[in-house]
Structure formats: structure tokens, C-alpha cells
Amino acid sequence: MKPYPMKQPAIILAALLCAGLMPQSAGISAQGAERGGETTAACADEAVSPAPASSWIPEWFPKAPVLPPSTGTVIRVSTVEELLAAVDRVQQDGTILLAEGHYRLPRVLVLQQKKNIMLRSASGDPARTILSGKGWDSQAGGDDILHIAHCEGVTIANLSFTDCRSYGIKVQAENAPKDIHIYNCRFRDIGVRAIKGSAAQDPNVRAVKGSVRFCVFENTRVPPADWLFGGDYIAAIDMMALDDWTFSDNLFRNIRGRNGGGCAAIFIWVRSRGVVVERNYILDCDRGVAFGNPGQSTANLSGEPLVYVADGIIRNNFIAGGPDCGIELWYADRIKVQHNTIWRPEQNWRRGIRIGTGTAHTEVVNNLVHGEILLEGGEADLSHNLTGRLDRSCVDPASGNLALTSAATRAIDQAVPLPDVTEDIRRRSRAQRPDVGAWEFEAGDPSAAGAVPVTSLANASVRYTVPDKPYVLLKHSGLEVVVVDNRAVDDAVLPGHRAGYHGIASLRHVQQPRNLFVPAYAGLNFEHIHDGTLKPREVLFEPRHAPMELRVLNDHTAELYQAPTPYWGLESCMRYELLDDGVVELTFECVPRRDTFTNSYMGLFWASYIDQPESLDIHFRGFAEGAQAQAGWLRGVTPAHGTWATHRSQDDQREFAHDSTFPLELPFGFSRLRYVEPWYFGVCRGMAFVQMFRAQDIVRLTQSPSGGGSGCPAWDFQWFIEKPRTGQRYQLVMRVAYVPVKGPGDAASVRDPIARWVPRWQPR
């Protein structure tokens, strides 16, 4: 939408919303700029119990910028009586600043004839400043909390609205309000509409320029059957007669009617125009987003052309679950529906996007819909949408995590570039070949799995000690593991261990006391960083040589931290943790600190040097390219270093540019074998060494017959991070199991038990 002039204090909010500055936490419990500065010790009529943590809100979801301190006249309130009085007397450019507390309102707060005012909490934390009505169960007519009538430049920020029978906030379009902004507020258990926008029949009067941003809407209750429409008359946002409004970066959950027929989480209609709905996260609501509906309103003027919404945009939204539909358009004109991700449950599965009666001149482009797009009397141009049964395309649809997985090959790089959609739901830049849906896939991105920081690289709560020696001995569940940094060691524990090799220098089992790995080298050794370009050997082997710090967390967990490396500038931390059943978990986290990757990817490589096994080969389940047979057991055999060395997954069609003179032979020495399950094993001295990965990491399995010397193979793996972003944390999780077996790797007595064990061990 076009920028528009605003005056203080609303101009401050508009500037922040455009710049996306100063992030705080998920719009729920952020600490505002005024905590400690303007907070008063006085409380409202009841002490606040902070709301429980909203664990359903993903870590990656855009955070609300913190508002600057209030300017102009500030009226501080800490009781209901003071609040009611302040609403009446606040003047132009003034702020009503609410102390923490629970304000139980006996009547509606009405803002009338106000200009450039703010109503906000002093703390900046909506969970600690709560406004409530007479109660969900009160049956009180007109039990609303706040009305905004003929006003200009009103900002409502950092407050919770809860427990009222009718409306949380009512914006009266019939009174022509302008520049109304609702920001970082929380709405919980509002009986009819959390935000209502009313209208009259004058076609020339609207609510002009406004926004609802960074708010959270959640209900824990369902209306009873004796409410309107059998308990289905409920919505989060239901607004009419809007002009130039934006609804962005909001979260909605469980906005449901008694029979599954509630209105949409965001429902816009009746002479609205220029409305943008973007980057919202809608989970388990009866409907997702609706522009218009099949029926009529009392605000419709008799005989007027029925156009509920014109010149609107719905883009980059996640909509998961809900019994009715994802997006619906009725009597809508010139609408753009772009890059949304919708996951329909089995109930009304086909109703992904409904193009209803009266809809025309509409574009539906680049949407990912687990369901269908239905033309129900309307017209639309459909292009580059992905529909149908899309199992395995999203990380966890049941929880609302619609991030793309590596299996979403029909979505990744398959969208048509749109000049007005340059970012995804997280505001990350889209590639030249963008992905279908709201999410732009990046291999290794922890936000795709909702991963929280684990290692001491990014988790400040991790406590550790740094030992004097360059190694530590860990023991657990029959395993004895020596984790070493990349310094040389020559003592009774690690005789002749060479500098540069780090990770697990020694791996022993109670039933096999001999070290699995070549004593001078190591296993799970972080070997290479590259981008496919010709570089000196010391740059390609930088993890071997850049200093590391060994950090010991407890008697079964240690980490290797490496500061940003001299050339690549990659900061990283590897955690080695001994689990039960002879399993070791490796969690690798890294942050690129400089933009040094020429080909827009970062290739990372780990090596494990096996000491004189009976067989050099590895074993996994898959198929040979071009073969007609179904997937089965394969034996990876490489006759020479770099020949048939790397085995890709069945879905891995990625191509990484590399120089013809690129000196590393293993990364791009592909075999014709494809794996169908992300794990493999080899056998050495009656023990199986099983390496297991997460499917979403799209790891490539690599082997060399002589990486550790004659008769000493390297059983390796690679991980590629596409379009690495400076300052972004990336995470890989893999596990190894070291377990006794009886027989060679190609024996059914070995393969079948391992195949049964892997589902229990494999990382998620």
C-alpha cells in the first residue's frame, strides 16, 4: 500500500513497522523500552498472574519491534477509575500509560474525537497488563472493552484483552476513523469478535488507513449452543468498510464455533478496498482468511453492486487445520492470492482455496495447498500452484509447522518470480527461483524444525569447564569415547595422535576394547568447508587448523567450539553426547560471520577413519539409478578415492556449481546409487558403526577406500547449506550407534536387526 502521512505519536509506530527494528519476543512477553523508566509501583484492582508460555508459537515467527518511549503528555494510570477518567481527558499527542495489573472494566472505554493518542502498557508486556469485560459467561449485552469512534491517529499497544461477551475492540467505520493501529496486543477468550469493524450504509464513509500487527488471538473456549447461529457466530477479526489496512505478523489459534462453522480468523467485507493480509500464522481455526461471504450484511445498501473487497492481497500466510476452509473469496474483485501455504485436514479436505460467486479479475499464484483450489462460481487466473496430497512436504502440519522439508521437491525452486513478493513469511529474501508457498526452503535452517539453540554457541544457559588437556574421556552405556580438539597428543590415552584431527579420537565398546578409528586420526572429524571454488589446501581443510576449545559439560557430554575461521569466517560448535544403547549424538551448530561463499552454498564435510575393517564397504537401503526394481539393500563399493564415492538421497536433485579444477575429489564424485532412508553402516571387528541422519538435512553419504591409509577406509558424510545468511544459525543433528553384531555387513542376520533398531535411534 502507499505510505501515508501520520503525526506523533502514531508516526513513530508507522516508521518502526516499516523498518522492522528492535525485535522483542513473539508479541507475548516482550519487555518494552519503558520498563523501569515509566512503570509505576501502583497496581490495578488485582495483581497480575502472567499468562502461561505460548509454546505453540514458533521460534522463527517475526517479533514485534519495541516502541520508543512516549512523547507529549503522559497520563499514568494504575486503577480502573484512573483509566476511565484518562480516556475522557487525554488530549492531542497524549499517551495513557497503564501500569501492570488486571483492569476489570464496568463499562466500555470509548475513544471519541481523539487525535494522535496512544493507549499502551508501561511494561511493554501485554501479558502483564490485562483489560477484561464482564465475562464470557456473563450474557451481558454490549459487553465490549474498547470502542474507537471518530478519531485520527490512535495506537493501541502492548495490552491484553480478555474475557468479555462481545467485542474486544470495536472500530466504528461509520464514524470515519483514520490511522488506527492495534499493535502487539493479545486477545484471549473474546466471545463474539476480538476486533470488530462496524459500518453503516453510506458508501462514502470508511475506516481509512490502519493496521493490526504482531497480535495474538487465541480462544480456550467454544460458544455454547444457545449463542447466535447455534454457537458458530464467532471470529477473531471481522471488519467492514476498510480502506488501506494491513493485517500482518499475527498469530491465531482455536478460533472456533461450536459446530465448526465459525467465521474466518481474518474476515474482511462490505465495501473494503486496499486490504493486505500477510505473514499471518493461523492454526486450527474454523476458517483461515475470508474476503467476503456468500450472504449479505445490514450495512449493504439496497441495490448497490455487491463488491465486498477490491484491490486486496493475501500472501505469505500459514493456514493449518480447521474444519471449513483455508482461504475463501466471495464478491471480491482484483484480488491477489500469492505464496500462501495451506494444509487441510481430512474434513473438507478439498477446501483449500474457494473462489466463490462474484469473484473476478483475481490472481491465484504460487500457493501450496494440501487440498484443492475450487472455483465455486467465481473466476480467477491460476498459475504455478501446487495442490493435492502433499505428504512429507511440510515439517509438522498437525502443529502448524508448514516449513518445507527436503522432500518438497515439487515446491522448491518451482514458483514464478513475483516482483511484489520478494520475501517469505519470515521476511527472508526469496531466491531468483523462489519456492511455492509461504516458506523459502534453506537446507540446515534450524527454524524449519523449530529447533532451539542447543550448544554453547548460541545457548547462554549451557555451563561447561575447559580442561587443561586437549581431550576428555567420556563413558556411558558400555561406550568409552575420547573427544579431542585439533592439537597433537602423545600419551597413554592417545598415543601418536596427530594434530589437525579432532572429534572422537577413540571409540571403544565393552565388547570390543580396540579403538574403531585409526589411532593417529579420528572419527566424526569436521574436515572441510568449501563453496566449490579452487582454494589452497589450508583453506579447504580450515576446520583442522583453526584453533578449537574443548568444553566439558558432564561425564558424558563435551563440545568443540571453533571461533570464526580465518578465511571462511564460520563460527561453530559440535556437541558429542553419549546416549543409551551405545549411541552418540552429534549436534553441530554454526553461524557464518562473513559473506565468503561465492556459489551461494556452504559445503561441510565430516570424516571417520576406520582402522583396518574386514570389509571397506558400507550398506544402506536404496536403488540404483535407472533400475526398475524396488528399493532394497545396497552395498556401497568404491574402487578408488573419489570414484563412485558419494551417494545421494532419492529426492536430492540439487546441483552445486563447482570449478572444474576443484581439488577435493569426494564431494562431487557421485555414484549411481540413491538411498531411500537416511542412514548407513559398516562392520569392523564384530561391531556395526551406524550413522543416522534427519531427512530434512539432505545429507550425502560418502566413502573412500583409503582415506585413513591402505586398508583403512573413510566412512563420511556431507551437508550443504544453500544460500547461507550472515549471522543466521544453522543446525545439523546426527547419531552414531556402535553395537555388537554377528557376521559381515551383507548378512541378513546383521542387516535386519539394524534396520529394526534404527527407528528407535534415529534423530528427529
Side-chain angles (χ1 to χ4, degrees), residues 29-71:
S29 58
Q31 304 304 306
E34 301 186 19
R35 178 175 287 281
E38 298 194 25
T39 296
T40 160
C43 297
D45 62 308
E46 183 175 313
V48 173
S49 295
S54 296
S55 59
W56 60 276
I57 299 176
E59 180 192 17
W60 55 262
F61 197 80
K63 311 302 188 290
V66 176
L67 297 178
S70 302
T71 59

Side-chain angles (χ1 to χ4, degrees), residues 252-296:
F252 302 81
R253 184 177 184 230
N254 292 338
I255 310 301
R256 298 182 295 188
R258 186 167 190 83
N259 310 294
C263 295
I266 303 175
F267 174 31
I268 310 299
W269 61 321
V270 183
R271 296 190 301 276
S272 292
R273 64 192 182 195
V275 175
V276 176
V277 175
E278 63 181 345
R279 298 189 305 275
N280 298 285
Y281 183 100
I282 302 173
L283 176 61
D284 292 337
C285 299
D286 284 353
R287 292 176 170 90
V289 179
F291 278 6
N293 76 359
Q296 293 205 17

Side-chain angles (χ1 to χ4, degrees), residues 278-322:
E278 63 181 345
R279 298 189 305 275
N280 298 285
Y281 183 100
I282 302 173
L283 176 61
D284 292 337
C285 299
D286 284 353
R287 292 176 170 90
V289 179
F291 278 6
N293 76 359
Q296 293 205 17
S297 165
T298 56
N300 289 122
L301 190 62
S302 178
E304 70 173 325
L306 197 58
V307 178
Y308 279 141
V309 183
D311 301 307
I313 298 173
I314 304 171
R315 67 187 172 205
N316 280 334
N317 299 286
F318 273 6
I319 305 173

Side-chain angles (χ1 to χ4, degrees), residues 81-409:
E81 292 75 16
E82 291 173 350
L83 174 59
L84 292 169
V87 166
D88 291 335
R89 66 187 180 92
V90 65
Q91 300 298 311
Q92 181 172 335
D93 300 324
T95 296
I96 301 173
L97 203 64
L98 282 73
E100 294 181 358
H102 191 158
Y103 297 77
R104 300 181 182 275
L105 297 172
R107 60 178 173 83
V108 181
L109 298 173
V110 178
L111 295 176
Q112 175 69 276
Q113 302 293 335
K114 304 296 182 183
K115 187 172 185 179
N116 297 329
I117 65 107
M118 298 186 77
L119 181 68
R120 62 188 289 188
S121 69
S123 70
D125 181 352
R128 302 194 65 83
T129 305
I130 302 170
L131 281 65
S132 65
K134 297 177 182 177
W136 175 286
D137 297 319
S138 68
Q139 300 296 320
D143 181 29
D144 307 341
I145 296 176
L146 173 66
H147 288 183
I148 301 173
H150 183 63
C151 298
E152 181 176 354
V154 173
T155 297
I156 310 299
N158 306 330
L159 299 169
S160 282
F161 295 81
T162 186
D163 202 25
C164 75
R165 176 64 175 81
S166 297
Y167 304 148
I169 297 176
K170 184 179 182 182
V171 179
Q172 298 174 347
E174 63 270 25
N175 290 313
K178 297 180 180 179
D179 295 340
I180 309 302
H181 301 281
I182 301 169
Y183 183 81
N184 192 31
C185 289
R186 184 172 188 174
F187 298 85
R188 186 180 179 91
D189 290 338
I190 305 296
V192 177
R193 303 288 192 266
I195 300 176
K196 173 65 180 178
S198 59
Q201 291 188 335
D202 188 337
N204 299 310
V205 178
R206 292 179 172 86
V208 178
K209 297 187 174 82
S211 65
V212 178
R213 303 186 192 239
F214 300 104
C215 293
V216 179
F217 301 80
E218 183 178 16
N219 281 350
T220 64
R221 308 181 67 177
V222 173
D226 60 354
W227 285 21
L228 281 175
F229 296 97
D232 280 339
Y233 191 69
I234 191 167
I237 296 171
D238 170 356
M239 302 190 76
M240 308 177 186
L242 302 182
D243 186 353
D244 197 359
W245 274 64
T246 296
F247 301 83
S248 70
D249 306 294
N250 303 295
L251 300 111
F252 302 81
R253 184 177 184 230
N254 292 338
I255 310 301
R256 298 182 295 188
R258 186 167 190 83
N259 310 294
C263 295
I266 303 175
F267 174 31
I268 310 299
W269 61 321
V270 183
R271 296 190 301 276
S272 292
R273 64 192 182 195
V275 175
V276 176
V277 175
E278 63 181 345
R279 298 189 305 275
N280 298 285
Y281 183 100
I282 302 173
L283 176 61
D284 292 337
C285 299
D286 284 353
R287 292 176 170 90
V289 179
F291 278 6
N293 76 359
Q296 293 205 17
S297 165
T298 56
N300 289 122
L301 190 62
S302 178
E304 70 173 325
L306 197 58
V307 178
Y308 279 141
V309 183
D311 301 307
I313 298 173
I314 304 171
R315 67 187 172 205
N316 280 334
N317 299 286
F318 273 6
I319 305 173
D324 197 284
C325 69
I327 293 174
E328 59 181 344
L329 308 177
W330 302 91
Y331 301 100
D333 194 29
R334 302 184 300 278
I335 307 300
K336 295 181 179 180
V337 181
Q338 305 165 321
H339 278 287
N340 299 283
T341 299
I342 300 170
W343 195 276
R344 297 294 305 142
E346 286 305 307
Q347 183 177 357
N348 289 321
W349 176 81
R350 298 183 64 212
R351 290 183 173 183
I353 299 176
R354 305 176 69 189
I355 312 298
T357 302
T359 299
H361 311 106
T362 288
E363 302 174 7
V364 180
V365 185
N366 291 345
N367 299 282
L368 185 153
V369 182
H370 179 73
E372 296 182 8
I373 299 175
L374 303 177
L375 295 175
E376 301 184 35
E379 299 177 357
D381 293 331
L382 310 182
S383 174
H384 290 80
N385 300 290
L386 177 60
T387 63
R389 299 283 176 179
L390 304 177
D391 298 323
R392 300 176 59 230
S393 293
C394 297
V395 172
D396 187 12
S399 70
N401 188 344
L402 302 184
L404 292 177
T405 69
S406 61
T409 55

